[in-house]
């Protein structure tokens, strides 16, 4: 299947959604223009693993941040298609927590998938600290809202909140190779056998 794009407006902000169909695991980047490297990471890992990816970008110099729970399926046909096709979602986000500059927060409603994905990311330690205990993840980064798209697929999913060093290299929105490799390994663990 070929890549599809759709222009959508959410709360007055224009977005371009880009869906690359693949398997039943989906990589989602709702804030690719605000959270550099997340869109690139979603597409590269999905391509490696045969997964589905959906990336939202905003044209123009000043992207706005609309919370995940407000980017509901009714705004976008491609998001509706993604949610209907994918079994489990890995939603990629960026955080700038000065108190946790090396923390990768592993949230989302599917806690068994979160632990499995985290096992693939363990190779990133000690450079990055994996935080899987929801009580230790800041409330706004837990990815538990019932309208958050990460929780709207059949088996819900995992919300990864990545610090800048885990999603960009210097000034470029190019994810570090080490993170791409580790995330791809984690996504493979979520992929059901054929």
């Amino acid at each position: 299947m070929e890549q599809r794009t759709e222009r959508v407006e959410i709360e007055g902000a224009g977005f371009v959604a880009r869906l690359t169909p693949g398997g039943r695991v989906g990589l989602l980047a709702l804030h690719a223009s605000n959270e550099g490297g997340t869109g690139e990471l979603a597409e590269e890992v999905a391509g490696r693993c045969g997964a589905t990816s959906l990336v939202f970008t905003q044209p123009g110099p000043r992207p706005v941040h609309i919370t995940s729970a407000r980017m509901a399926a009714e705004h976008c046909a491609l998001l509706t298609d993604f949610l209907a096709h994918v079994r489990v979602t890995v939603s990629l986000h960026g955080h700038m927590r000065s108190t946790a500059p090396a923390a990768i927060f592993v949230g989302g409603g599917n806690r068994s998938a979160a632990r499995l994905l985290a096992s693939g990311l363990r190779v990133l330690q000690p450079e990055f600290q994996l935080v899987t205990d929801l009580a230790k993840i800041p409330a706004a980064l837990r990815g538990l809202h019932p309208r958050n798209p990460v929780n709207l697929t059949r088996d819900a999913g995992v919300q990864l909140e990545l610090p800048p060093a885990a999603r960009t290299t210097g000034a470029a929105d190019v994810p570090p190779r080490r993170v791409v490799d580790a995330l791809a390994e984690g996504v493979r663990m979520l992929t059901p056998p054929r």
Side-chain angles (χ1 to χ4, degrees):
M1 292 187 259
E2 63 186 48
Q3 190 176 80
R4 295 159 45 206
T5 60
E6 177 184 5
R7 292 188 174 277
V8 294
E9 188 173 301
I10 302 171
E11 298 183 8
F15 290 84
V16 175
R18 185 171 57 250
L19 176 71
T20 305
R24 298 291 182 180
V25 174
L27 284 111
L28 180 63
L30 293 170
H31 307 116
S33 296
N34 301 81
E35 299 167 352
T38 57
E40 293 80 0
L41 189 56
E43 290 182 333
E44 187 167 350
V45 170
R48 277 198 195 187
C49 299
T52 296
S53 68
L54 179 61
V55 174
F56 285 80
T57 56
Q58 292 180 59
R62 295 183 181 223
V64 294
H65 186 277
I66 296 173
T67 64
S68 299
R70 293 183 359 234
M71 293 188 68
E74 62 266 14
H75 293 299
C76 178
L78 291 183
L79 180 56
T80 301
D81 292 349
F82 175 90
L83 296 174
H85 173 71
V86 167
R87 181 182 56 84
V88 63
T89 300
V90 176
S91 189
L92 303 176
H93 298 265
H95 77 82
M96 303 280 286
R97 299 285 166 140
S98 60
T99 56
I104 295 176
F105 298 111
V106 188
N110 186 327
R111 300 315 299 152
S112 61
R115 286 185 293 278
L116 199 58
L117 187 67
S119 69
L121 297 174
R122 293 212 192 287
V123 298
L124 299 175
Q125 295 174 318
E127 181 182 357
F128 297 104
Q129 292 81 50
L130 298 174
V131 182
T132 58
D133 181 345
L134 288 173
K136 295 180 180 175
I137 298 174
L141 305 182
R142 290 179 186 156
L144 297 177
H145 194 285
R147 292 215 10 105
N148 184 331
V150 73
N151 297 313
L152 295 178
T153 51
R154 188 179 84 198
D155 293 339
V158 182
Q159 181 159 307
L160 277 186
E161 292 278 354
L162 303 160
R167 55 190 164 87
T168 60
T169 49
D173 286 345
V174 176
R177 179 70 30 218
R178 195 165 168 242
V179 174
V180 173
D181 293 344
L183 183 56
E185 182 58 30
V187 168
R188 284 186 194 100
M189 292 180 186
L190 298 178
T191 305
R194 293 181 185 233

